[in-house]
Amino acid sequence: MTEQHSRQPAQGFERGTDGPKVILVGVDGSDTSMRAAAYAGGLARRQNALLAVVYVQPVMAAGAALGAPVAETTDGIAEDLVAEIRVAAERVKGIFDVRWEFHTFRGDPYNGLVKAAEELKADAVIVGASEQAGHRLIGSVAVRLVKAGRWPVTVVP
């Protein structure tokens, strides 16, 4: 006796059915975020997925009120990150080809990454482990993303 199973076609957008198509990685220039970017790049290459590199520019109203050039500083960080990623991509060109895009969002890191993941229709989110001691007590961005439960989240040490 043989069993037959019929598959119904998927209706609308469905995440993660054939492996990730968009892998989002959050970067801020820290060592752990750059390791997360390297890990995500390898995953995107193996899965033939788009690597969406996201930098969330902090909005610091207090610094702006005191006359600090916050926007120029965070714009500079974004430009440095793009340059660093381009150099890394150029080093492995022809050996490892990865499709990638760089996106900048404004806000706090958690909400910025959530917004980015939703807008870019991310199938997976990769972040570096927090290097700040206080996050052990109040929770890191990574822990908050995991608790949100909307995407698979990988935390790279």
Side-chain angles (χ1 to χ4, degrees):
M1 178 184 247
T2 59
E3 289 184 41
Q4 292 182 334
H5 299 280
S6 64
R7 300 200 81 183
Q8 298 293 327
Q11 302 296 320
F13 178 73
E14 188 175 355
R15 291 181 193 230
T17 56
D18 297 321
K21 297 299 177 202
V22 177
I23 297 173
L24 183 144
V25 62
V27 296
D28 61 8
S30 66
D31 288 342
T32 60
S33 80
M34 298 315 277
R35 283 193 296 272
Y39 176 84
L43 186 60
R45 179 186 57 80
R46 289 186 299 279
Q47 297 287 336
N48 195 28
L50 173 66
L51 176 63
V53 181
V54 174
Y55 169 62
V56 180
Q57 287 183 299
V59 177
M60 295 182 249
L66 298 173
V70 174
E72 291 86 9
T73 301
T74 59
D75 286 344
I77 291 169
E79 290 168 13
D80 291 346
L81 288 169
V82 170
E84 192 171 337
I85 292 164
R86 280 199 177 108
V87 167
E90 202 56 40
R91 272 196 307 258
V92 297
K93 192 173 186 178
I95 302 168
F96 300 118
D97 290 321
V98 176
R99 294 178 303 122
W100 64 278
E101 300 173 346
F102 185 86
H103 300 271
T104 302
F105 287 79
R106 292 189 185 272
D108 68 276
Y110 170 75
N111 287 310
L113 289 173
V114 167
K115 181 179 179 184
E118 288 173 351
E119 285 186 19
L120 300 171
K121 294 192 178 358
D123 295 300
V125 177
I126 315 289
V127 293
S130 176
E131 295 179 333
Q132 297 179 359
H135 286 174
R136 282 183 237 139
L137 300 175
I138 59 172
S140 67
V141 171
V143 169
R144 291 175 68 195
L145 287 167
V146 170
K147 286 182 178 179
R150 296 184 190 164
W151 324 266
V153 177
T154 302
V155 182
V156 178

